Amino acid sequence: MTEDEGLPFDPKMLDRMANVCIKFGLNLQHGQDLIITSTVESLPLVRRIVEEAYRAGAGVVTTLLSDEEISLAKYRYGNEESFDRAPEWIFKGMAEAFGNNTARLAISADNPMLLSEQDPEKVSRLGKAMSIASKPAMERITNFETNWNIVSYPGSKWAKQVFPKLSEEEAIRKLAEVIFSASRINGSDPISDLRAHHENLKKRQEWLNGYSFSSLHYTGPGTDLTIGLADGHAWKGGASMAKNGIICSPNIPTEEVFTTPHANRVDGFVKATKPLVHRGTIIEGIEVCFEKGKIVKASASKGEEVFLQLLDTDNGSRRLGEVALVPHSSPISQSGVLFYNTLYDENAACHIALGQCYSKCFIEDISSNPKAIENSGGNSSMIHVDWMIGSEELDIDGITREGEIVPIFRKGEWVEDISIP
Ligand code: ZN
Ligand code: ZN
């Protein structure tokens, strides 16, 4: 694309992002179909990605666009009954497509505060209806049946939320800068830079898998938590092979290695180190207490009601589905910015997630066997909500099945012998 699009940043960076997304993130194959979801505002990137996809020999590319005013119209004028329903058919269609080797791309640019002024009860009901309806499609993604990728675009409302003191134009420029550098597409050869980064993530995974820890012990201010790991768990991170045989890299950026905790073996207390933004509400000062895997006591200094509602979503929402390690020195963490966006905030700090586990995080492929996942300790829930517990004061030890204690993190960083430059 050559015409002047009036963007407050160098549009060539979008060409790079599109190239990295198709060639590295998705690794889209000749003849493969692709479904893209995005906001209307991200069209400058969507158009480039679609072009890049067809140049790479894509089959059918389908784009589904969302718009803020259209989303809000429902809250303003929609009838009561409509808040308990979602278009199931579209998610069934997506599930069918993913089952037939269609790749999936999401472009994240949303205004994190879009629903903050809306009736929380309606937000929660519609959120639940959407979770139920989208489950068939989501499961194909969490089971890693096809290659998928998520990248970001500097949306104007998002940018203003992250940099409230800057003008809109300045805020977009600044957010764009952070997105491009965190996504590691600034150098002269982004794809080889990304490959090198993913090699490092792989080395850390292999180190952790070599120990096959029985649990992790976290200590820090307000935190003394033991997280048992699922039986037969495997650490994952960075590029890996989807079940359709295609090696892809789901998140750009990514800094985490992660695995599945044991739903019944988490004990102690933990304090969040960053706010959690959930459905337009900022939840601050989260402190919870676990017993035998379940949160038995929870509080938050701000947004507590929304947090408690979230915990009561279903039987699995008080238990953990993910544990992830991210060094405090990660580029996103060093930017010192709160992004109000999971893709960025979860890559800034060690985190845990309430709810659904990743069924791919097991040594043996048990992802299509819910009973085996449950027996191994994998949690199941309609939600998967990440929140940050890492800081420069966090220490983590691994505990082997023989009871040996192995330092993993000291003061928020990988211990020396496994830290890779
Ligand atoms: Zn994670
Ligand atoms: Zn997560």
Side-chain angles (χ1 to χ4, degrees):
M1 224 160 289
T2 49
E3 83 263 33
D4 180 16
E5 295 157 280
L7 298 169
F9 52 84
D10 182 2
K12 280 197 200 81
M13 294 308 289
L14 295 180
D15 297 328
R16 283 175 170 228
M17 186 68 105
N19 182 264
V20 158
C21 167
I22 294 297
K23 300 270 166 57
F24 182 78
L26 281 172
N27 188 14
L28 194 74
Q29 302 294 298
H30 193 91
Q32 199 181 13
D33 292 355
L34 170 63
I35 297 176
I36 303 174
T37 55
S38 169
T39 61
V40 180
E41 205 188 354
S42 314
L43 272 174
L45 178 58
V46 178
R47 290 184 178 133
R48 286 170 167 87
I49 288 174
V50 173
E51 286 182 7
E52 193 72 40
Y54 282 126
R55 276 201 290 264
V60 177
V61 180
T62 306
T63 47
L64 301 167
L65 300 177
S66 63
D67 172 66
E68 287 204 354
E69 287 304 313
I70 291 174
S71 303
L72 289 174
K74 176 159 191 162
Y75 285 90
R76 291 185 188 130
Y77 309 113
N79 67 45
E80 264 306 308
E81 170 271 346
S82 71
F83 288 90
D84 299 310
R85 293 204 298 126
E88 273 174 43
W89 59 271
I90 204 163
F91 297 111
K92 279 185 190 152
M94 283 168 100
E96 185 185 319
F98 300 152
N100 289 326
N101 197 40
T102 296
R104 161 90 170 103
L105 172 69
I107 296 167
S108 160
D110 302 5
N111 172 7
M113 294 297 136
L114 178 64
L115 302 178
S116 59
E117 306 281 287
Q118 306 306 315
D119 175 4
E121 204 238 325
K122 282 184 178 164
V123 174
S124 152
R125 276 163 60 200
L126 188 55
K128 195 166 177 173
M130 286 296 276
S131 300
I132 294 169
S134 61
K135 200 163 184 197
M138 277 308 295
E139 266 174 2
R140 303 242 183 207
I141 298 301
T142 54
N143 289 347
F144 212 15
E145 290 184 29
T146 192
N147 45 329
W148 63 276
N149 179 224
I150 172 167
V151 294
S152 300
Y153 181 85
S156 56
K157 298 268 174 48
W158 178 25
K160 275 294 281 177
Q161 179 67 30
V162 178
F163 301 108
K165 289 189 189 126
L166 303 182
S167 71
E168 185 171 290
E169 199 180 310
E170 275 302 310
I172 294 172
R173 181 178 302 143
K174 182 93 185 131
L175 181 59
E177 229 170 68
V178 182
I179 288 175
F180 301 145
S181 75
S183 303
R184 297 172 200 259
I185 61 166
N186 279 337
S188 59
D189 186 354
I191 290 183
S192 69
D193 291 349
L194 280 160
R195 284 212 177 99
H197 173 55
H198 283 251
E199 269 311 304
N200 284 343
L201 291 174
K202 206 182 181 111
K203 280 178 199 157
R204 286 182 173 142
Q205 264 174 57
E206 282 165 0
W207 184 85
L208 290 160
N209 285 332
Y211 274 101
S212 181
F213 290 116
S214 132
S215 61
L216 304 181
H217 181 213
Y218 290 69
T219 48
T223 295
D224 187 344
L225 184 70
T226 301
I227 300 180
L229 300 179
D231 302 330
H233 71 272
W235 290 88
K236 302 268 165 166
S240 54
M241 193 191 285
K243 286 207 189 112
N244 60 358
I246 299 167
I247 293 174
C248 70
S249 170
N251 289 357
I252 296 179
T254 186
E255 303 290 335
E256 60 171 348
V257 291
F258 57 97
T259 194
T260 294
H262 197 292
N264 304 323
R265 297 204 286 112
V266 183
D267 289 278
F269 50 91
V270 59
K271 192 172 174 176
T273 51
K274 282 174 191 283
L276 160 66
V277 183
H278 182 65
R279 290 181 187 149
T281 303
I282 301 179
I283 307 170
E284 277 175 37
I286 296 175
E287 290 186 59
V288 302
C289 194
F290 284 90
E291 265 176 41
K292 295 197 169 87
K294 192 177 173 184
I295 292 179
V296 292
K297 222 167 82 188
S299 64
S301 55
K302 201 173 153 193
E304 184 175 91
E305 200 185 324
V306 175
F307 186 58
L308 296 179
Q309 253 179 28
L310 173 69
L311 292 184
D312 286 334
T313 309
D314 60 25
N315 285 332
S317 51
R318 281 178 180 265
R319 296 178 190 272
L320 295 186
E322 179 193 346
V323 47
L325 304 179
V326 180
H328 186 69
S329 58
S330 91
I332 302 171
S333 170
Q334 290 307 303
S335 73
V337 171
L338 179 68
F339 287 94
Y340 302 89
N341 175 307
T342 306
L343 179 61
Y344 279 77
D345 291 324
E346 78 158 359
N347 281 304
C350 285
H351 56 272
I352 48 183
L354 297 169
Q356 182 62 39
C357 74
Y358 283 110
S359 55
K360 65 172 177 177
C361 287
F362 289 94
I363 298 165
E364 275 175 51
D365 179 12
I366 54 172
S367 58
S368 46
N369 184 348
K371 200 78 214 153
I373 294 169
E374 191 189 329
N375 290 341
S376 307
N379 193 30
S380 111
S381 170
M382 268 185 321
I383 64 160
H384 176 97
V385 177
D386 299 276
W387 49 288
M388 316 319 142
I389 61 170
S391 72
E392 71 269 83
E393 294 175 283
L394 184 71
D395 290 346
I396 306 171
D397 287 322
I399 299 161
T400 65
R401 268 169 286 190
E402 294 74 36
E404 190 199 342
I405 296 170
V406 182
I408 302 175
F409 266 55
R410 285 294 175 267
K411 297 206 177 302
E413 300 298 326
W414 292 95
V415 296
E416 223 176 325
D417 59 326
I418 47 166
S419 93
I420 295 138

